[in-house]
Amino acid sequence: MRVLVLGSGAKDHAIAWWFSQSRLINGLFVAPGNVGTQSIATNLAIDPSDPKQVYEACSTHGIDFVFVGTEAPLFTGVIDYLNERGIDTFGAPSRALKLEGDRNFSRMFTDRHNIPTPTHALFDDEQKLSEYLKRHEGERFVVKSNAIAPSRVMIDSSDYHSLMEFSKNILATSPIILEEHLNGLPITVTLFLDNKGYLALPTSSDYMKAEEGGLPTGGMGSICPVPLQEEVSQALVDTIIEPTLFGLKAERMAYKGVLTISVIITKRGPILVDYHVRFNDPAAQAFVPLIKTDIVDILNAMKHDTLSSITLEASTKSTVALVVASEGYPEKPIIGKDLEPMPASLMLNTFEGAPRYYFGGVQEIEGKLVTTGGRCVTVVGVGYNIMNANKNAYKGVKHVHFEGAWFRKDIGDRFFEN
């Protein structure tokens, strides 16, 4: 199998690395890729969101399978375009995209199938939103764009002016969803789907803010797996996973690909807050190092609708993923900073016990490593438990140096503090 992975982020580097470990591929390409993927695959300088460019690359390089784990190519129709031309793909087709791309539809879907979600309301009018917030002064709400938004951007606040200011920017182009704030543990559930069942990957917990109570980001860290009580795990299956898969079949949206479910474990049980029809970042960087099953074996099972018969082989260890970001991120990241050279063995992720380094906004320009985005490197510590993995992640981050680099200091702490 000759594989093309579409994307350039740390998540895409992690997925490409997973493919690079397979015994069943004889060609690996990434478009457009980054400095991390160029050492394990052939980077292709094409627009991954342009269906014609992707198809031409497949024809030129003899690629017979395209893996789309990131959002942009999904929403420009790459999957359908390639499928119509006989190229196998991994990713959600257009009929399933509204599950992520239209939050109001998603909420109506969950209502129809009795899936627990936060109380919510759709607003497309600034005045009506203002009146509602004034009637509920002092209550804490979450505001999200109704349409797909990069980096899961949202605000979680009880301040009227902050909620209105954030909403005004979105209302210029899209309605907003206003939801109740939920207290609890956020977890990310990642599923491979086929027509007859699913395969669950290790569950993670993501840190989505720049700091505790700070600005929302695309994700600053993750831990995996999450220690959940057996009754909570069963409730996830009974109240969210199984009803979702039933609903997808009943409404003719079932597909072969990945479904990521963002959940908050509350005192009243698991509550779904978002669907994503692709992998999440940094959850993917956290679970990939733990999986021992060949990804191509998984994809072959998906092709033949036998996913539910696979027993996922995963390490008993834990991971802590730590994102190193540029100064000014998430509002106005300062890019173009030189990343100091790292030992080749670390960049190649060749040492079994060493932290893994997955690159995002970093490219090689004129022989130098240069930052090109807000989230630059994800350092993943692996250990015999979360505390040990946390220690290894923070040791590993010392090898990442560029002007203005910053990262959260508390990733994983809540899982082992008294």
Side-chain angles (χ1 to χ4, degrees):
M1 179 184 285
R2 292 171 68 81
V3 175
L4 169 61
V5 176
L6 299 182
S8 62
K11 169 177 62 178
D12 310 301
H13 182 192
I15 292 166
W17 182 87
W18 191 4
F19 270 109
S20 76
Q21 305 303 296
S22 173
R23 70 196 189 284
L24 298 170
I25 65 169
N26 58 3
L28 181 58
F29 302 82
V30 185
N34 59 38
V35 71
T37 60
Q38 72 183 19
S39 61
I40 55 173
T42 301
N43 285 351
L44 301 179
I46 63 168
D47 180 356
S49 298
D50 185 322
K52 290 183 179 179
Q53 287 190 39
V54 175
Y55 177 70
E56 288 170 3
C58 291
S59 300
T60 300
H61 299 281
I63 292 160
D64 46 30
F65 188 89
V66 176
F67 191 100
V68 186
T70 194
E71 59 267 36
L74 296 176
F75 286 85
T76 56
V78 168
I79 292 288
D80 299 271
Y81 190 89
L82 295 177
N83 287 345
E84 289 164 5
R85 287 155 181 79
I87 294 177
D88 287 340
T89 60
F90 173 95
S94 57
R95 67 179 184 276
L97 298 182
K98 54 188 174 181
L99 202 62
E100 175 173 354
D102 183 340
R103 282 194 168 99
N104 190 49
F105 170 85
S106 170
R107 291 296 180 258
M108 291 190 292
F109 173 88
T110 54
D111 289 347
R112 287 193 294 272
H113 298 287
N114 298 313
I115 297 166
T117 56
T119 57
H120 51 273
L122 181 72
F123 289 93
D124 59 8
D125 181 272
E126 191 178 314
Q127 184 62 34
K128 289 180 180 178
L129 173 63
S130 175
E131 291 170 359
Y132 183 90
L133 290 175
K134 286 179 178 176
R135 288 199 304 272
H136 296 270
E137 187 176 358
E139 291 184 33
R140 189 169 173 182
F141 294 103
V142 176
V143 173
K144 308 171 183 176
S145 169
N146 184 59
I148 187 170
S151 302
R152 290 172 278 177
V153 172
M154 63 188 73
I155 189 173
D156 182 345
S157 176
S158 58
D159 180 70
Y160 166 84
H161 296 289
S162 298
L163 291 166
M164 283 303 301
E165 193 63 33
F166 182 85
S167 300
K168 284 178 185 177
N169 293 329
I170 298 174
L171 286 168
T173 56
S174 164
I176 61 109
I177 290 280
L178 183 77
E179 297 180 344
E180 67 170 320
H181 166 81
L182 297 174
N183 288 313
L185 172 68
I187 66 167
T188 300
V189 180
T190 307
L191 309 173
F192 282 112
L193 309 178
D194 64 18
N195 289 322
K196 294 184 178 179
Y198 68 93
L199 178 68
L201 302 185
T203 299
S204 66
S205 181
D206 297 347
Y207 292 68
M208 298 309 299
K209 294 184 177 180
E211 58 191 33
E212 190 65 37
L215 293 170
T217 73
M220 295 305 300
S222 184
I223 73 101
C224 185
V226 180
L228 295 177
Q229 294 177 328
E230 188 174 335
E231 56 266 33
V232 174
S233 297
Q234 191 59 50
L236 268 172
V237 172
D238 294 341
T239 65
I240 294 179
I241 295 175
E242 293 288 0
T244 293
L245 300 186
F246 174 84
L248 290 177
K249 288 180 181 178
E251 301 193 21
R252 297 184 179 179
M253 291 192 297
Y255 63 94
K256 297 183 181 186
V258 69
L259 176 65
T260 301
I261 305 174
S262 297
V263 175
I264 295 182
I265 307 297
T266 71
K267 289 182 179 178
R268 61 183 197 259
I271 297 181
L272 181 147
V273 290
D274 271 316
Y275 289 117
H276 304 280
V277 292
R278 35 83 185 187
F279 287 117
N280 277 6
D281 178 339
Q285 295 95 292
F287 66 64
V288 161
L290 297 177
I291 299 174
K292 297 180 179 180
T293 305
D294 192 313
I295 188 172
V296 177
D297 283 334
I298 294 173
L299 298 177
N300 283 333
M302 181 187 295
K303 185 174 183 177
H304 296 99
D305 292 320
T306 57
L307 270 179
S308 56
S309 68
I310 285 186
T311 299
L312 187 76
E313 187 181 358
S315 169
T316 57
K317 293 182 177 181
S318 297
T319 59
V320 169
L322 176 62
V323 175
V324 183
S326 299
E327 181 181 355
Y329 179 79
E331 293 180 303
K332 292 181 179 179
I334 299 172
I335 63 174
K337 300 298 182 181
D338 290 348
L339 180 72
E340 291 183 17
M342 295 173 58
S345 58
L346 295 182
M347 289 194 67
L348 292 170
N349 295 313
T350 52
F351 285 158
E352 185 67 28
R356 304 291 170 82
Y357 295 84
Y358 296 121
F359 291 84
V362 180
Q363 295 286 356
E364 186 173 339
I365 300 174
E366 297 180 352
K368 290 184 177 182
L369 303 184
V370 179
T371 63
T372 57
R375 290 181 299 158
C376 299
V377 185
T378 304
V379 183
V380 185
V382 182
Y384 52 83
N385 59 20
I386 295 170
M387 183 184 296
N388 184 239
N390 166 280
K391 185 184 298 183
N392 290 335
Y394 282 96
K395 281 183 181 177
V397 81
K398 295 175 182 177
H399 293 285
V400 181
H401 297 284
F402 60 89
E403 184 184 342
W406 68 274
F407 50 88
R408 281 185 59 157
K409 307 295 194 297
D410 62 340
I411 304 300
D413 287 0
R414 65 178 173 230
F415 293 93
F416 54 79
E417 287 181 338
N418 292 327

